[in-house]
Amino acid sequence: MMTRNNNSERDQLEVIAIDQLVPQDHLVRKIESAIDFSFIYPLVEKLYSTLGRPSIDPVVLIKMTFIQYVFGIRSMRQTIKEIETNVAYRWFLGFGFYTEVPHFSTFGKNYERRFKETDLFEQIFYRILKEITDKGLLSADHVFIDSTHVKASANKRKFEKKTVRKETRAYEAKLQAELNQDRMDNGKKPFPPEKFEKEEIKEIKESTTDPESGYYVKDERTKQFAYSFHAATDRNGFVLGSLVTPGNIHDSHILQPLVEKLMDKVKKPLAVAADAAYKTPAICNFLLENGITPALPYTRPKTKEGFIRKHEYVYDEHYNCYICPQGEILSYTTTTKEGYRQYKSNPLKCSKCPLLEQCTQSQNHQKLIQRHIWEGYLEEAEHLRHKQEVKEIYARRKESIERVFADAKEKHGMRWTTLRGLKKLSMQAMLTFAAINLKKLANWTWGSPKMA
């Protein structure tokens, strides 16, 4: 039998508390139980004047922001609309049925006037991380690092071509000192300082809409202005730290500053797992010299098909030379300012070699092999890759950092951004990852007497 609903109940009067309308297992209840947001007051106290009209409660402002990022709401304007009609959100903010919700521009004005030049969001992020640590949930011995591109709020067809100076890498000064020492050890003169100070330039596309973004090219279909969100997680998927750069900065340039940040803010990890983009001599040198085990994957040889591969030339460390498959010596000639030792063969002998066509295509029949001064660290990382414990660490990447990025994009609005500029994108990264950590903390500690 068909039933028709009686709409008269719309006008029904009830005496009811707002607390009764929020389900007992709703996520906002779990978050409220997991952390006391009053820690925000001392963080912002100096940002407020003792004069003038009373302000919006700063805890309410931050909670409104967490509603946006935890539940993946597109904007603060939409968040305000949701709060107006959502009883659970009102309960979380401490609002009654008739409490007026702040205007959507309130957070933006507070950001510009009070929060913009501060590290408030980073402090909030690490305060939540401290709560996770205190509950015994953090496992930061093994750290997983990666980055993801976030589409910038910029038209990819609106740009200007500019010539800019190449960015300085974190290890530049250390490399210059060591390669000069290597040159002197091999009877060569060190490079004068002006050799390194000479500016290297490159041409880039700079967005006229958001100049701080970077032009990112993945394939023929993926060309856009973007930002790179670099992050580090523990084995349980808790985010330990993040950095934001333009989308055209290579991932490998950011690992060292990110790990140094973790060492300062969290702890020094025992191992760091990352994908093939991070498998460079500089990164292996940094990790191993700091007593950190690199967990890096296998990478295919880059030699052209049909040619003798580099590993088939034997490196003799004692005599500082390479020996080719035919037993001939490639002698050391110099160390370049990029940090590569160069080894060259005798062209008179090579011209008569039966493997010449598989060895080199040079017109003077001379084989050149380059070896980075830190290549020994790369070889050590390759050796460690075969150990079972390192294999197990690397295998957890897909369950930690990759899952965090997937959740951030699918559930927390990180696939693209309406914000512009590195400072605002850094705020978005901190709030997104803080929301992910807070959500996981709330779910893991809910109803557990041991975590109370």
Coordinates of all heavy atoms in Angstrom, one line a residue, residues 16-33 71 85-92 443 446:
I16 N 14.1 20.8 22.9 CA 15.2 19.9 22.7 C 16.5 20.6 22.7 O 16.6 21.8 22.4 CB 15.0 19.2 21.3 CG1 16.0 18.0 21.2 CG2 15.2 20.1 20.2 CD1 15.7 17.1 20.0
A17 N 17.6 20.0 23.2 CA 18.9 20.6 23.2 C 19.6 20.3 21.9 O 19.4 19.2 21.4 CB 19.7 20.1 24.4
I18 N 20.5 21.2 21.5 CA 21.2 20.9 20.2 C 22.1 19.7 20.4 O 22.4 19.0 19.4 CB 22.0 22.2 19.9 CG1 22.4 22.1 18.4 CG2 23.2 22.4 20.8 CD1 23.0 23.5 17.9
D19 N 22.6 19.4 21.6 CA 23.4 18.2 21.8 C 22.7 16.9 21.5 O 23.3 16.0 21.0 CB 23.9 18.2 23.3 CG 24.8 17.1 23.6 OD1 26.0 17.2 23.1 OD2 24.4 16.1 24.2
Q20 N 21.4 16.9 21.6 CA 20.6 15.7 21.4 C 20.5 15.4 19.9 O 20.2 14.3 19.5 CB 19.2 15.8 22.0 CG 19.2 15.9 23.5 CD 17.8 16.2 24.0 OE1 17.4 17.3 24.3 NE2 17.0 15.2 24.0
L21 N 20.7 16.4 19.0 CA 20.6 16.2 17.6 C 21.9 15.8 16.9 O 21.8 15.5 15.7 CB 20.1 17.5 17.0 CG 18.7 18.0 17.5 CD1 18.4 19.4 16.8 CD2 17.6 17.0 17.1
V22 N 23.0 15.8 17.6 CA 24.3 15.4 17.1 C 24.5 13.9 17.4 O 24.6 13.5 18.5 CB 25.4 16.2 17.6 CG1 26.7 15.8 16.9 CG2 25.1 17.7 17.4
P23 N 24.6 13.1 16.3 CA 24.9 11.6 16.6 C 26.1 11.4 17.5 O 27.1 12.1 17.4 CB 25.1 11.1 15.2 CG 24.4 12.0 14.3 CD 24.5 13.4 14.9
Q24 N 26.0 10.4 18.3 CA 27.1 10.2 19.3 C 28.4 9.8 18.7 O 29.5 10.0 19.2 CB 26.6 9.0 20.3 CG 25.6 9.5 21.2 CD 26.0 10.6 22.1 OE1 27.1 10.7 22.7 NE2 25.1 11.6 22.2
D25 N 28.4 9.2 17.4 CA 29.6 8.9 16.8 C 30.0 9.8 15.7 O 30.8 9.5 14.8 CB 29.6 7.4 16.3 CG 28.5 7.3 15.2 OD1 27.6 8.2 15.1 OD2 28.4 6.2 14.5
H26 N 29.4 11.0 15.6 CA 29.7 12.0 14.6 C 31.2 12.4 14.7 O 31.7 12.5 15.8 CB 28.8 13.2 14.7 CG 28.8 14.1 13.5 ND1 29.9 14.9 13.1 CD2 27.9 14.2 12.5 CE1 29.6 15.5 12.0 NE2 28.4 15.1 11.6
L27 N 31.8 12.7 13.6 CA 33.3 13.1 13.6 C 33.6 14.3 14.5 O 34.6 14.4 15.1 CB 33.8 13.3 12.2 CG 35.3 13.6 12.0 CD1 36.1 12.5 12.7 CD2 35.6 13.8 10.5
V28 N 32.6 15.3 14.5 CA 32.9 16.5 15.3 C 33.0 16.1 16.8 O 33.8 16.7 17.5 CB 31.8 17.6 15.1 CG1 31.9 18.1 13.7 CG2 30.4 17.1 15.4
R29 N 32.2 15.1 17.3 CA 32.3 14.7 18.7 C 33.7 14.1 18.9 O 34.3 14.3 20.0 CB 31.2 13.7 19.0 CG 29.8 14.3 19.2 CD 28.9 13.3 19.8 NE 27.5 13.8 19.9 CZ 27.1 14.5 20.9 NH1 27.9 14.8 21.9 NH2 25.8 14.9 21.0
K30 N 34.1 13.3 18.0 CA 35.4 12.6 18.1 C 36.6 13.6 18.2 O 37.5 13.5 19.0 CB 35.7 11.6 16.9 CG 34.6 10.5 16.9 CD 34.9 9.6 15.6 CE 33.9 8.5 15.5 NZ 34.1 7.7 14.3
I31 N 36.5 14.7 17.3 CA 37.5 15.7 17.3 C 37.5 16.5 18.6 O 38.6 16.7 19.2 CB 37.3 16.6 16.1 CG1 37.6 15.9 14.8 CG2 38.2 17.9 16.2 CD1 37.3 16.7 13.5
E32 N 36.3 16.8 19.1 CA 36.2 17.6 20.3 C 36.8 16.8 21.5 O 37.4 17.4 22.4 CB 34.7 17.9 20.6 CG 34.5 18.9 21.7 CD 34.9 20.4 21.3 OE1 35.2 20.6 20.1 OE2 34.9 21.2 22.2
S33 N 36.6 15.5 21.4 CA 37.1 14.6 22.5 C 38.6 14.4 22.4 O 39.3 14.2 23.4 CB 36.4 13.2 22.4 OG 37.0 12.3 23.3
F71 N 36.2 18.4 6.3 CA 35.1 17.9 5.5 C 35.2 18.2 4.0 O 34.3 17.9 3.3 CB 33.8 18.4 6.1 CG 33.5 17.9 7.5 CD1 33.8 18.6 8.6 CD2 33.0 16.6 7.6 CE1 33.6 18.1 9.9 CE2 32.7 16.1 8.9 CZ 33.0 16.8 10.0
T85 N 23.1 25.7 8.5 CA 22.1 24.7 8.5 C 22.5 23.4 9.1 O 21.6 22.5 9.3 CB 21.7 24.4 7.1 OG1 22.8 24.0 6.3 CG2 21.1 25.7 6.4
N86 N 23.8 23.2 9.4 CA 24.3 21.9 10.0 C 24.4 22.0 11.5 O 25.2 22.7 12.0 CB 25.6 21.6 9.3 CG 26.0 20.1 9.6 OD1 26.0 19.7 10.8 ND2 26.4 19.4 8.6
V87 N 23.5 21.2 12.2 CA 23.5 21.2 13.6 C 24.8 20.7 14.2 O 25.3 21.3 15.2 CB 22.3 20.3 14.1 CG1 22.3 20.3 15.6 CG2 21.0 20.8 13.6
A88 N 25.4 19.7 13.6 CA 26.7 19.2 14.2 C 27.8 20.2 14.1 O 28.6 20.4 15.1 CB 27.1 18.0 13.4
Y89 N 27.9 21.0 13.0 CA 28.9 22.1 12.9 C 28.6 23.1 14.0 O 29.5 23.7 14.6 CB 28.9 22.7 11.5 CG 29.3 21.7 10.4 CD1 29.1 22.1 9.1 CD2 29.9 20.5 10.7 CE1 29.4 21.3 8.1 CE2 30.2 19.7 9.7 CZ 30.0 20.0 8.3 OH 30.4 19.2 7.3
R90 N 27.3 23.5 14.2 CA 27.0 24.5 15.2 C 27.4 24.0 16.6 O 27.9 24.7 17.4 CB 25.5 24.8 15.2 CG 25.1 25.7 14.1 CD 23.6 26.0 14.1 NE 23.2 27.1 13.2 CZ 23.3 28.4 13.5 NH1 23.6 28.8 14.7 NH2 23.0 29.3 12.6
W91 N 27.1 22.7 16.9 CA 27.5 22.1 18.2 C 29.1 22.2 18.3 O 29.5 22.5 19.4 CB 27.1 20.7 18.2 CG 27.5 19.9 19.4 CD1 26.7 19.8 20.6 CD2 28.7 19.2 19.7 NE1 27.4 19.0 21.5 CE2 28.6 18.7 21.0 CE3 29.8 19.0 18.9 CZ2 29.6 17.9 21.5 CZ3 30.8 18.2 19.5 CH2 30.7 17.7 20.7
F92 N 29.8 21.9 17.3 CA 31.3 21.9 17.3 C 31.8 23.3 17.7 O 32.8 23.5 18.4 CB 31.8 21.4 16.0 CG 33.3 21.3 15.9 CD1 34.0 20.5 16.8 CD2 34.0 22.0 15.0 CE1 35.4 20.4 16.7 CE2 35.4 22.0 14.9 CZ 36.1 21.2 15.8
N443 N 39.7 9.5 15.2 CA 39.1 8.2 14.9 C 39.8 7.1 15.7 O 39.2 6.2 16.2 CB 39.1 7.9 13.4 CG 38.0 8.6 12.6 OD1 36.9 8.7 13.1 ND2 38.4 9.1 11.5
W446 N 38.9 7.5 19.6 CA 37.5 7.5 20.0 C 37.1 6.2 20.7 O 37.3 5.1 20.2 CB 36.6 7.7 18.8 CG 35.1 7.8 19.1 CD1 34.2 6.8 18.8 CD2 34.4 8.8 19.8 NE1 33.0 7.2 19.2 CE2 33.1 8.4 19.8 CE3 34.8 10.0 20.4 CZ2 32.1 9.1 20.5 CZ3 33.8 10.7 21.1 CH2 32.5 10.3 21.1

